[in-house]
Amino acid sequence: MQKKSFLPVLALGMGLTANCYAADNPFADVPADHWAYDAVSQLAADNILEGYEDKSFRGNHQITRYEMAQMVAKARAKASSGEDKVLVEKLTAEFQAELEQLGVKTANLERNADRVKWSGVFAQKAMKGNPDEHTWWEKELFLNVDAAVNENWNVHAGVDTKWGSKEGWNSEEGFADAYGASNVNVSSMLYQLYAKGAAFKGAFATLGLFTPGLQEGFVGNARTKGMELDYQIRKTSLKAYGGNLHEKVSDMSSAWSDAFRRHGNRGDFEYVGTGAGGTETGFKDQRLRAWGLAAEQRFTDCTTAGIGYYNLHSPVAYGDSHLGIVAVNLRQRLADAWELSGFYSHGNQHYQNKAYDVKFIYNGSPWGDKKVGGSFGYRYLGSDALIMSSVVNGSEKPGRKGWEASLWYHFMKNIQIQGYLFNGTAINKAYDNGAHRTAYFTSLLFSF
């Protein structure tokens, strides 16, 4: 292979070290008064030059064009200024043939960088719950990372970090305890982690920790560690999922919220330890498992509907029995800006065995491109007709019924405010003294 002198390397070094202070020189045979000292030192600091095992530079030695191409490939990642880039491009043209031999590795690094996407939402929240009258403040940062594995598969991770007051939310335990971080008011959790891609023709699979996508999450919105399969046949989508549930006990069935009782008792929770120092065992000990099936059809551009079945195994709440739920949902566009959305579900445990939500929506989702929008509707959320619902916002948890209104407004691109106001009561009025309660959830959101 043809040999080449170090002169291009020194020229490269002088270009990349312009207007910089030289790093410490690791080479014993390049004294501080050498004309190439600054360039060689910086190239070593930038990991472009490695030298020899005896820590010498050997500047008078000839190097192969392949060795020079390796240095140019490393320098391409370091060049930042216009002058640097011009010099690197000249060297790239000179050593094009050798760089092509390294091109697979270099191209893969560039392609991998392009495949990783970051996004997220920061929210400042103010909330007031049903049982008490104090306002609870919380900050939340939700960070998403999406990476392409290949043309067919992607990996997604979502990390949820919250800052909240320690005195507790909605007469429940303190924020720190609820998120498993004792004596601190900041907590972070891995909210989602899954791989998603084509399983076979017309079918897509999701594997890992995910939120099921059946029927807009009206019935089975609890995060699941398992698998989901979505099979598309023209305008019909057949979906199925199954796995172990992965939610805080307080989100599924609350030991301190009398309004939410599965099967007429305080199901889905239990404490270990003694006195106030007890902690929630969580779902790992209770082996909560769920699965579901749904068929969803787009009949026209204005009408979609679905039917599904869900099954929850909760030994604490239902013993050896299972909660079985049948659900239907409908979304109907009424005009350009208005649509009607709703669902009805029925469980088999004969306590609060029905749930439904009907609402009128103006200008669609708050995450769309409209300036302002909102909704208004009525809900009845029986605790034995849901696993975990995507509609419990102002009403906070199943076990309640009442009216809810929402309003959202975009101040500018990626900055919006959302507000939800609920007025209702517990389905079992013995737990709410027959009184109507009001709850509000307000968030100022910055998305990126």
Side-chain angles (χ1 to χ4, degrees), residues 210-270:
F210 60 90
T211 303
L214 284 64
Q215 296 180 281
E216 300 185 45
F218 290 137
V219 174
N221 200 52
R223 291 176 302 148
T224 303
K225 293 186 292 184
M227 177 178 178
E228 178 176 321
L229 192 65
D230 186 348
Y231 183 52
Q232 302 287 332
I233 308 176
R234 296 183 180 178
K235 294 185 178 181
T236 302
S237 178
L238 303 177
K239 299 179 181 180
Y241 83 98
N244 297 320
L245 298 191
H246 188 75
E247 296 287 354
K248 300 195 311 295
V249 174
S250 57
D251 283 339
M252 294 291 301
S253 188
S254 178
W256 48 84
S257 177
D258 286 336
F260 184 12
R261 294 173 174 240
R262 290 190 183 276
H263 201 46
N265 59 41
R266 292 172 177 263
D268 287 356
F269 72 92
E270 97 183 82

Side-chain angles (χ1 to χ4, degrees), residues 61 81 124 139 156 161 181 240 264 277 304 323 327 330 332 373 394 437 446:
H61 270 242
S81 70
Q124 172 64 67
K139 296 177 178 66
H156 170 83
T161 301
T304 59
L323 172 62
L330 171 71
Q332 175 69 48
R437 301 287 184 175
F446 303 82

Side-chain angles (χ1 to χ4, degrees), residues 216-440:
E216 300 185 45
F218 290 137
V219 174
N221 200 52
R223 291 176 302 148
T224 303
K225 293 186 292 184
M227 177 178 178
E228 178 176 321
L229 192 65
D230 186 348
Y231 183 52
Q232 302 287 332
I233 308 176
R234 296 183 180 178
K235 294 185 178 181
T236 302
S237 178
L238 303 177
K239 299 179 181 180
Y241 83 98
N244 297 320
L245 298 191
H246 188 75
E247 296 287 354
K248 300 195 311 295
V249 174
S250 57
D251 283 339
M252 294 291 301
S253 188
S254 178
W256 48 84
S257 177
D258 286 336
F260 184 12
R261 294 173 174 240
R262 290 190 183 276
H263 201 46
N265 59 41
R266 292 172 177 263
D268 287 356
F269 72 92
E270 97 183 82
Y271 286 88
V272 296
T274 59
T279 59
E280 291 178 310
T281 61
F283 288 148
K284 183 177 181 180
D285 295 338
Q286 297 173 27
R287 302 182 305 279
L288 280 180
R289 295 187 294 273
W291 58 270
L293 305 166
E296 301 174 49
Q297 172 76 27
R298 177 177 290 276
F299 294 96
T300 68
D301 290 340
C302 297
T303 306
T304 59
I307 183 170
Y309 176 81
Y310 303 81
N311 186 282
L312 171 66
H313 179 218
S314 172
V316 176
Y318 305 113
D320 294 331
S321 179
H322 289 230
L323 172 62
I325 304 170
V326 176
V328 293
N329 70 293
L330 171 71
R331 186 172 289 269
Q332 175 69 48
R333 183 170 296 280
L334 305 175
D336 288 341
W338 287 94
E339 61 183 342
L340 175 68
S341 173
F343 83 94
Y344 175 84
S345 61
H346 194 91
N348 65 347
Q349 291 297 326
H350 311 297
Y351 174 56
Q352 295 178 6
N353 62 355
K354 65 179 180 180
Y356 57 88
D357 175 79
V358 179
K359 62 184 173 185
F360 293 94
I361 302 171
Y362 176 67
N363 269 345
S365 166
W367 303 105
D369 58 359
K370 302 296 184 180
K371 186 74 172 180
V372 64
S375 65
F376 180 78
Y378 182 83
R379 63 185 51 166
Y380 182 104
L381 303 177
S383 58
D384 283 330
L386 301 167
I387 296 176
M388 183 175 176
S389 180
S390 60
V391 305
V392 291
N393 205 343
S395 49
E396 194 241 336
K397 285 184 175 72
R400 294 192 175 273
K401 60 181 180 180
W403 299 90
E404 182 178 271
S406 72
L407 182 67
W408 49 265
Y409 177 77
H410 287 215
F411 295 103
M412 59 187 69
K413 183 179 180 181
N414 296 336
I415 302 178
Q416 64 171 292
I417 189 168
Q418 297 180 13
Y420 298 83
L421 177 66
F422 174 79
N423 183 266
T425 186
I427 294 174
N428 189 334
K429 293 184 178 181
Y431 301 130
D432 218 13
N433 297 320
H436 280 67
R437 301 287 184 175
T438 300
Y440 66 78

Side-chain angles (χ1 to χ4, degrees), residues 101-154:
Q101 299 178 40
L102 300 171
V104 174
K105 183 176 182 181
T106 304
N108 284 341
L109 290 173
E110 294 175 352
R111 187 160 53 247
N112 286 340
D114 293 337
R115 285 176 173 175
V116 179
K117 306 296 182 184
W118 296 81
S119 62
V121 176
F122 172 76
Q124 172 64 67
K125 301 179 180 180
M127 303 172 283
K128 187 182 80 170
N130 296 293
D132 62 19
E133 299 301 328
H134 84 279
T135 297
W136 198 70
W137 297 86
E138 177 181 283
K139 296 177 178 66
E140 181 175 14
L141 176 64
F142 199 100
L143 186 62
N144 296 299
V145 183
D146 294 276
V149 176
N150 53 41
E151 294 180 355
N152 298 315
W153 281 84
N154 297 279

